[in-house]
Amino acid sequence: MRPIPRSQEPELRGAGMTDAADALPGQSLSRLTSGEQVRLYLRRLIFDGVLRQGQRVPQDAVARALGVSRIPVREALIALEREGWITIIAHRGAFVNALDESSVRDHYELYGLFYGFGARRAVERQGAELGARLAVLQKEIAAAGDPEALQELTARFHGLVVEAAQSPRLRNMLKQMTGIIPGNVFELVPGVQAVEKRGTAAIVRAMKKADAQAAEREYVTMLRNQGDLCVKLFRGRGMFEQPDAEAAPASP
């Protein structure tokens, strides 16, 4: 992502985004800290096209929409800058970064590499027994139709793989990664449910054979395919469009 700030500010009220519940379908904000609420809210505004690349984040409007002070808004902006979503410019404000296709693909490619590494280590350390345990959970994944249930089941599946890998370094790396989709990916990205079900089934088959390299490849393939679907969705939403030619770049 690269910063292309400009001074245009969206009107959240006109976009119908003044209610936090409207911004976050399927999410329970009560379980999040104020800063986390703001961070997820802003990511959803970007995802829905209310905040577009180059636009200034209207901090006061966001604070009013969520009923919080400016402090959690600033905390969220710092976190979002660290994640690459925005750029903070001293004395000017926070601006939405340009989202490019390669950034989205790289994100899912890295997820695939990390989880693939975890799958390989898990098979090397647990053998085919892990595949047998995951097979029970994978049957539930295959039968799940509700996005919320599928999200919970797949989180358990991937969590078991990471746990079996017995790699504290891997767990720390994954904790540092933040999803691109602001909410339930199975609800928001068409086609991801099918990709996840096929992918987890293939991973289990490889693990049952104690084939560590095949399990790693299947993870990479599954997450790469999910990245392709996200790119398709973002392109359709116009999220890769460049700002107007007359937009002024940020001053250093």
Side-chain angles (χ1 to χ4, degrees):
M1 301 179 189
R2 53 190 183 281
I4 311 177
R6 53 184 171 177
S7 60
Q8 180 183 357
E9 292 188 4
E11 176 54 61
L12 300 186
R13 182 175 293 103
M17 298 297 287
T18 56
D19 190 313
D22 292 337
L24 301 164
Q27 297 292 315
S28 177
L29 289 178
S30 62
R31 295 196 299 267
L32 304 176
T33 67
S34 295
E36 289 170 340
Q37 288 183 36
V38 177
R39 184 168 63 116
L40 188 56
Y41 181 65
L42 287 172
R43 284 175 52 210
R44 186 58 187 263
L45 291 179
I46 296 169
F47 181 77
D48 285 339
V50 178
L51 283 173
R52 302 184 71 84
Q53 56 180 270
Q55 291 180 322
R56 187 194 305 271
V57 178
Q59 298 180 43
D60 289 334
V62 169
R64 288 193 300 270
L66 292 174
V68 299
S69 70
R70 288 286 296 271
I71 294 175
V73 175
R74 287 195 294 270
E75 291 174 351
L77 291 174
I78 292 171
L80 289 170
E81 183 176 45
R82 187 167 57 246
E83 295 167 7
W85 288 96
I86 67 165
T87 293
I88 300 173
I89 301 175
H91 310 300
R92 292 189 60 185
F95 297 85
V96 178
N97 285 347
L99 183 68
D100 59 83
E101 185 173 322
S102 62
S103 295
V104 177
R105 294 190 187 280
D106 287 353
H107 178 88
Y108 279 90
E109 195 76 18
L110 286 169
Y111 258 132
L113 291 173
F114 284 140
Y115 276 109
F117 171 82
R120 176 159 53 86
R121 282 286 186 262
V123 173
E124 291 170 351
R125 290 166 178 169
Q126 302 287 327
E129 186 270 336
L130 176 62
R133 283 196 289 137
L134 287 172
V136 177
L137 189 54
Q138 199 283 318
K139 287 182 180 179
E140 295 185 57
I141 291 173
D146 175 64
E148 293 296 326
L150 189 56
Q151 183 181 49
E152 180 182 351
L153 290 167
T154 56
R156 286 169 54 195
F157 183 97
H158 302 310
L160 285 172
V161 171
V162 173
E163 180 183 350
Q166 300 175 7
S167 173
R169 181 64 61 86
L170 174 63
R171 286 197 298 270
N172 289 336
M173 294 298 294
L174 288 170
K175 284 180 181 178
Q176 295 176 39
M177 295 190 69
T178 303
I180 283 181
I181 303 300
N184 189 332
V185 65
F186 301 113
E187 179 183 10
L188 297 173
V189 183
V192 168
Q193 287 196 29
V195 168
E196 184 83 13
K197 290 179 179 183
R198 287 196 303 269
T200 51
I203 291 165
V204 168
R205 285 196 297 270
M207 288 184 169
K208 280 184 171 182
K209 298 176 183 176
D211 191 335
Q213 292 185 339
E216 181 176 25
R217 286 196 304 269
E218 295 296 349
Y219 248 117
V220 171
T221 298
M222 179 179 71
L223 286 158
R224 182 179 293 150
N225 290 340
Q226 289 187 14
D228 290 341
L229 291 174
C230 286
V231 166
K232 181 180 178 181
L233 176 64
F234 287 2
R235 189 185 293 128
R237 286 171 170 260
M239 294 176 70
F240 295 142
E241 293 176 1
Q242 296 300 308
D244 299 334
E246 64 271 16
S251 58

